[in-house]
Amino acid sequence: MIAELVSSALGLALYLNTLSADFCYDDSRAIKTNQDLLRETPWTHIFYNDFWGTLLTHSGSHKSYRPLCTLSFRLNHAIGGLNPWSYHLVNVLLHAAVTGLFTSFSKILFGDGYWTFMAGLMFASHPIHTEAVAGIVGRADVGAGLFFLLSLLCYIKHCSTRGYSARTWGWFLGTGLCAGCSMLWKEQGVTVLAVSAVYDVFVFHRLKMKQIIPTIYKRKNFSLFLSISLLTFWGTSLLGARLYWMGNKPPSFSNSDNPAADSDSLLARTLTFFYLPTKNLWLLLCPDTLSFDWSMDAVPLLKTICDWRNLHTVAFYTGLLLLAYYGLKSPSVDRECNGKAVTNGKQNANGHSCHSEAEYRNSEIKPSFASKAENGIKKNVSQTTQLPSTENIVVLSLSLLIIPFIPATNLFFYVGFVIAERVLYIPSMGFCLLITVGARALYVKVQKRFLKSLIFYATAMLIVFYGLKTAIRNGDWQNEEMLYRSGIKVNPAKAWGNLGNVLKSQSKISEAESAYRNALYYRSNMADMLYNLGLLLQENSRFAEALHYYKLAIGSRPTLASAYLNTGIILMNQGKTEEARRTFLKCSEIPDENLKDPHAHKSSVTSCLYNLGKLYHEQGHYEEALTVYKEAIQKMPRQFAPQSLYNMMGEAYMRLSKLPEAEHWYMESLRSKTDHIPAHLTYGKLLALTGRKSEAEKFFLKAIDLDPTKGNCYMHYGQFLLEEARLLEAAEMAKKAAELDSTEFDVVFNAAHMLRQASLNEAAEKYYDLAAKLRPNI
């Protein structure tokens, strides 16, 4: 228990500084803009949508079905809203729990000695976990890891009680339920069933490759056959249900997500896919260079046999095969131990044919009841529980390293990443066990005390270095700017582009522009970066340049609705109404099929229709405007804020003298957003027109109260007062409006007109002069 507590405490302590971190990278889409987290969204939607809130059967869905993780986010949101502290706290606590469970699992393999302690500390401190723990969306991997270990521990209990206790099937049921929960946290969780089978065959039954098939068919091992069969059945059922639920179709990804998958060259695809596991293992062994994103050209394609990285691939698979051979080979009949023969491969309590006294002292033999078969007759006898041999642990470690990683290998379907550090959270358990069992084997093998101490302290120093790297890496995850700057050397295009967004939000305009241009230097066809640069230029009134980059963005991605939207707005403001109309119409016709974020696309399409309606409205085509507004209402997604659209519907009906319809839509606008100022003003005008003067005045005053700095509010109220022949009050409102919006021609001119109506000719002349300066050509 001490080892578990200390390891968990280290896992907790290393990540305490992440509690003050902000939302970073993917957190925005999974949490900030995910409608499934909102109280008003039925919680059952979580079970029909993917991790990002897109309908699972939609053609653009990532098919990442993780409802239990999303449900945990929803609980976080219900308790703490969008305060990142509570989200980070849950991640850190989950990691501490996983570390404790992993240490308990290690104790089953290594006993109560310090090697269990080493394995637990190594897992707690490994830097590869930083993305999974410090990044909030990494909770999917940590949660899956928690239920992965619970499932595996339940199966170990099932094996130890099988054949003499009815409770054994309760443990098996726990295995299945926890495996299902692990899969509902993240897809790779289902692989625990395969790892459990490996444990049963190679660790619990200590079988070698030549013994597997004959042993399974022996009558006395029917229980083994039954357990493996049930594991297979349950795993197949879970995978079948998962495939059916996501529409029986694999996800589709863009070229930048996984360039190798999109390569036309079979050789390049093959060499790259064989190399990527090598790169992942290197990140586990030497996590010196880590990055928030490994997509695009972060790992260049291997296009020829002559690429020197192929040597790494050969070395990796050679080592893997040698380890597998070492773990699976049949033992020799006679072995030598200090000059004495050990017959039939029998091993002592901690799994080695030859051991030092030190290892004996660190291997505790525990009494337990086990089922023993003699001549086909089962007896319940008391015997000692032997710890697995080094070979057994190597096989189990390899299975724990490889099997959970298989879904990320592009073997069965293409994935949406090149390398993802958080995907290595569960495989790192196998890695930690391999390092530990390797160090232990060397420790036992060498005879000199100096060498034993060297091996022990080298392993301890590795844990210290891992812990220091984790602490340093956690600093990168404190905020988005630090995170993206840390990724420039690995993925400069993505890092510079994301950094540009951060700098823009900080109003560092020139730095943001430079960052966007740096991103485009490395990858010139990134539609998102072209669009973001265009948006930055548009917001700084550099409209010609903005139109150029929007055109490039559309050329790179013809379905980028937001680029059409902003192009149309610029053209409309420049008076190029026909071009603007065609742009808006083209945008409205773009389908949302195979798009990564269909919700954002639908919002942009709705905005295009809204602006097209405004264009028709300004041209006096009110019927056409209403038709377009109605289409916008039909297409708008749940997250779209409809108050302006509803208000414009009311305006169109008002112009057509359909006052009841106009009032309905004004009220809808106010219902959707109670502090929507334009709706207060337009509804006030309608109330005044229909003789409800006192009500109208209340709405005008409410608009002023909502934003006392808006000259337009005073202007509308002044016009109302003028119509009521309250000339001096109207003149005061006119002056206030002109003072606040002294650069707006319409406001200044109307103020002058109202002052003249109030016979304040000197003040009126002043504002007429100002209006003339604003538009000297009129």
Side-chain angles (χ1 to χ4, degrees), residues 17 24 130 290 469-487:
N17 64 329
C24 290
T130 308
L290 299 174
K469 176 63 178 179
T470 296
I472 293 169
R473 182 61 178 160
N474 283 340
D476 294 335
W477 280 86
Q478 284 296 304
N479 58 65
E480 288 192 304
E481 182 174 355
M482 295 175 67
L483 180 64
Y484 298 145
R485 288 190 185 279
S486 71

XYZ file of all heavy atoms in Angstrom, residues 17 24 130 290 469-487:
187
model
N 0.945 22.158 -10.509
C 1.060 23.487 -11.122
C 0.164 23.648 -12.354
O -0.050 24.753 -12.832
C 2.512 23.787 -11.484
C 3.063 22.855 -12.547
O 2.661 21.703 -12.629
N 3.990 23.343 -13.359
N -6.339 25.049 -23.318
C -5.336 25.078 -24.381
C -5.755 24.193 -25.553
O -6.379 23.143 -25.362
C -3.975 24.600 -23.861
S -3.171 25.742 -22.722
N 2.208 14.203 -20.061
C 1.882 15.610 -19.836
C 0.684 16.061 -20.654
O -0.217 16.736 -20.149
C 3.098 16.502 -20.165
O 4.231 16.007 -19.461
C 2.825 17.934 -19.747
N 8.992 17.246 -27.260
C 7.560 16.975 -27.244
C 6.825 18.132 -27.912
O 7.321 19.263 -27.946
C 7.061 16.794 -25.808
C 7.683 15.637 -25.021
C 7.217 15.655 -23.569
C 7.347 14.303 -25.667
N 11.729 16.581 -16.439
C 11.199 16.911 -17.762
C 9.694 17.146 -17.691
O 9.172 18.068 -18.349
C 11.517 15.761 -18.738
C 10.926 15.955 -20.137
C 11.493 17.184 -20.830
C 10.917 17.335 -22.235
N 11.423 18.541 -22.928
N 8.990 16.352 -16.898
C 7.543 16.543 -16.738
C 7.246 17.906 -16.134
O 6.345 18.620 -16.593
C 6.953 15.431 -15.849
O 7.115 14.171 -16.500
C 5.476 15.671 -15.587
N 8.016 18.287 -15.103
C 7.802 19.595 -14.462
C 8.039 20.728 -15.456
O 7.276 21.711 -15.496
C 8.719 19.728 -13.253
N 9.082 20.596 -16.261
C 9.384 21.626 -17.265
C 8.297 21.671 -18.333
O 7.827 22.746 -18.729
C 10.763 21.352 -17.906
C 11.868 21.531 -16.865
C 10.995 22.285 -19.091
C 13.224 21.040 -17.316
N 7.880 20.490 -18.787
C 6.855 20.425 -19.840
C 5.519 20.962 -19.345
O 4.777 21.579 -20.118
C 6.712 18.972 -20.324
C 5.718 18.784 -21.458
C 6.102 19.556 -22.679
N 5.175 19.331 -23.781
C 5.025 20.136 -24.830
N 5.748 21.231 -24.922
N 4.172 19.852 -25.788
N 5.214 20.757 -18.073
C 3.973 21.311 -17.519
C 3.942 22.826 -17.647
O 2.872 23.428 -17.818
C 3.820 20.918 -16.050
C 3.357 19.488 -15.884
O 2.804 18.890 -16.791
N 3.607 18.924 -14.707
N 5.121 23.443 -17.567
C 5.188 24.902 -17.732
C 4.731 25.342 -19.108
O 4.116 26.402 -19.271
N 5.023 24.522 -20.129
C 4.581 24.850 -21.495
C 3.066 24.831 -21.618
O 2.499 25.512 -22.471
C 5.184 23.864 -22.499
C 6.691 23.986 -22.612
O 7.207 25.074 -22.308
O 7.346 22.990 -22.988
N 2.408 24.028 -20.785
C 0.953 23.892 -20.859
C 0.216 24.904 -19.974
O -1.001 24.806 -19.792
C 0.538 22.469 -20.468
C 0.726 21.493 -21.583
C 1.864 20.808 -21.890
C -0.246 21.101 -22.559
N 1.672 20.016 -22.993
C 0.376 20.167 -23.426
C -1.583 21.436 -22.794
C -0.289 19.581 -24.495
C -2.250 20.850 -23.860
C -1.606 19.938 -24.704
N 0.928 25.897 -19.425
C 0.287 26.891 -18.579
C -0.669 27.787 -19.364
O -1.713 28.190 -18.880
C 1.345 27.760 -17.878
C 2.026 27.064 -16.726
C 1.058 26.740 -15.603
O 0.378 27.611 -15.071
N 0.992 25.469 -15.238
N -0.279 28.125 -20.592
C -1.157 28.928 -21.445
C -0.840 28.621 -22.904
O 0.189 28.011 -23.224
C -1.020 30.428 -21.151
C 0.402 30.923 -21.327
O 0.946 30.922 -22.420
N 1.020 31.344 -20.216
N -1.710 29.068 -23.780
C -1.577 28.712 -25.194
C -0.336 29.321 -25.833
O 0.287 28.688 -26.681
C -2.836 29.138 -25.955
C -4.043 28.283 -25.642
C -5.185 28.523 -26.603
O -5.610 29.691 -26.730
O -5.658 27.567 -27.224
N 0.020 30.530 -25.441
C 1.187 31.152 -26.062
C 2.450 30.334 -25.794
O 3.237 30.061 -26.718
C 1.375 32.584 -25.548
C 2.561 33.282 -26.211
C 2.689 34.744 -25.825
O 1.813 35.264 -25.103
O 3.688 35.375 -26.254
N 2.666 29.927 -24.560
C 3.842 29.125 -24.226
C 3.792 27.769 -24.927
O 4.811 27.265 -25.405
C 3.937 28.935 -22.717
C 4.167 30.223 -21.942
S 4.145 30.000 -20.157
C 5.617 29.025 -19.922
N 2.603 27.190 -24.999
C 2.455 25.879 -25.625
C 2.812 25.933 -27.104
O 3.558 25.085 -27.607
C 1.014 25.380 -25.448
C 0.692 24.010 -26.039
C 1.491 22.920 -25.327
C -0.798 23.728 -25.936
N 2.295 26.951 -27.805
C 2.541 27.037 -29.241
C 3.985 27.428 -29.545
O 4.568 26.957 -30.520
C 1.572 28.022 -29.884
C 0.121 27.606 -29.728
C -0.893 28.533 -29.555
C -0.237 26.256 -29.726
C -2.215 28.147 -29.401
C -1.553 25.867 -29.572
C -2.536 26.811 -29.405
O -3.841 26.415 -29.251
N 4.563 28.269 -28.705
C 5.973 28.609 -28.919
C 6.856 27.369 -28.744
O 7.856 27.212 -29.451
C 6.408 29.719 -27.953
C 5.830 31.085 -28.291
C 6.468 32.189 -27.485
N 5.830 33.484 -27.722
C 6.076 34.272 -28.769
N 6.966 33.892 -29.670
N 5.452 35.427 -28.902
N 6.487 26.497 -27.818
C 7.292 25.291 -27.585
C 7.200 24.310 -28.759
O 8.054 23.441 -28.903
C 6.831 24.593 -26.301
O 5.556 23.982 -26.478
N 6.156 24.436 -29.580
C 5.974 23.499 -30.681
C 6.518 23.963 -32.011
O 6.404 23.244 -33.023
